[in-house]
Amino acid sequence: AVVSTQSTGEEKMDDLRDDCPPLQQVYFPSLFRAEEFEEDVEFFFEGDVPEDIKSPALEEYRKQLENDVTRDPVLLIGYMQTMQMALVSGGAMLRPMIVRVLGLKDRYPLGVKALDWPEGFSTTAAKKLYTERLDALELTPKQQNGIITAKRGVFSLNNKLIREVIYSTESRDVLLSMCKKVSIVCLIFMFLAIAYLFYLS
């Protein structure tokens, strides 16, 4: 689910930015993490990632994102800012926690690539530049309110995804056959939720 939401948002940014100046202003490929998330998931599942798990919450997420960007591509900012700033704000703090809890020190950065930024990358500078670009956008009041609404929607959708991973019948079935692996993925989801709270603060 994390991989899918990240990749969907990033693909939309690539597709829409040329025809939408506000998206171009907040287009930061250095913050794209879908590929790294995919590598992390493959690492934890040892290349045996289940493909047949249905996710109503993920389908709702995709549908809502599609509806929003069809109505106004600018609303994609609400999705991307939420995802990217959560990772930038909480990633540096959560990465060593995950490494320690899951015993990944000897295999670092495997398992936490999505939270591992390149050498020389400054999360403080990234957040500052992102905020400056957002503040400089020329948006209508309707677009501003739409972005705020989209961000609130992302928070609600993320909560549904987390609950689904932890409590759904599909997850319980998979849990019986690959308990350790699913537990790790659930733990990552909870860490990401914490990262989002860091971003809000």
Side-chain angles (χ1 to χ4, degrees):
V2 175
V3 175
S4 184
T5 55
Q6 288 284 330
S7 61
T8 299
E10 292 170 10
E11 289 169 4
K12 290 291 184 183
M13 282 292 286
D14 282 330
D15 292 341
L16 300 172
R17 66 188 179 91
D18 289 339
D19 298 319
C20 183
L23 288 183
Q24 184 67 56
Q25 290 298 310
V26 292
Y27 179 74
F28 298 105
S30 61
L31 301 182
F32 284 12
R33 312 307 288 168
E35 182 177 339
E36 287 78 7
F37 268 121
E38 184 174 356
E39 291 177 6
D40 288 340
V41 171
E42 289 181 354
F43 167 75
F44 286 120
F45 279 94
E46 299 175 349
D48 187 23
V49 181
E51 299 180 355
D52 58 346
I53 299 178
K54 296 180 180 180
S55 173
L58 180 56
E59 288 305 312
E60 181 181 355
Y61 190 108
R62 288 173 173 165
K63 182 177 180 180
Q64 185 62 51
L65 189 153
E66 188 66 39
N67 289 341
D68 281 344
V69 300
T70 298
R71 188 167 74 252
D72 187 345
V74 165
L75 300 183
L76 181 58
I77 292 173
Y79 291 82
M80 297 306 293
Q81 182 197 10
T82 301
M83 290 189 291
Q84 293 176 332
M85 289 298 96
L87 291 171
V88 170
S89 297
M93 181 175 294
L94 295 176
R95 185 180 63 247
M97 292 170 56
I98 295 173
V99 170
R100 183 173 62 254
V101 170
L102 301 183
L104 302 176
K105 183 178 180 180
D106 293 337
R107 307 185 71 178
Y108 178 85
L110 297 178
V112 289
K113 284 189 174 182
L115 305 178
D116 187 53
W117 303 100
E119 184 177 351
F121 180 89
S122 170
T123 56
T124 300
K127 288 188 289 185
K128 182 175 183 294
L129 178 59
Y130 209 119
T131 300
E132 291 174 349
R133 293 283 184 88
L134 284 174
D135 291 342
L137 294 179
E138 296 182 1
L139 303 173
T140 66
K142 182 178 179 180
Q143 288 174 323
Q144 293 174 349
N145 291 332
I147 290 173
I148 293 173
T149 300
K151 290 173 65 175
R152 291 172 178 166
V154 171
F155 181 69
S156 175
L157 291 167
N158 284 344
N159 283 339
K160 289 182 179 181
L161 284 168
I162 293 170
R163 288 197 299 271
E164 183 177 86
V165 168
I166 297 175
Y167 298 115
S168 72
T169 300
E170 290 85 354
S171 290
R172 287 197 298 269
D173 291 342
V174 175
L175 184 63
L176 293 175
S177 61
M178 45 183 64
C179 180
K180 179 180 179 181
K181 298 174 183 178
V182 173
S183 296
I184 289 172
V185 174
C186 290
L187 183 60
I188 292 174
F189 263 99
M190 288 185 282
F191 278 133
L192 289 175
I194 295 171
Y196 182 76
L197 295 177
F198 274 120
Y199 161 62
L200 290 179
S201 63

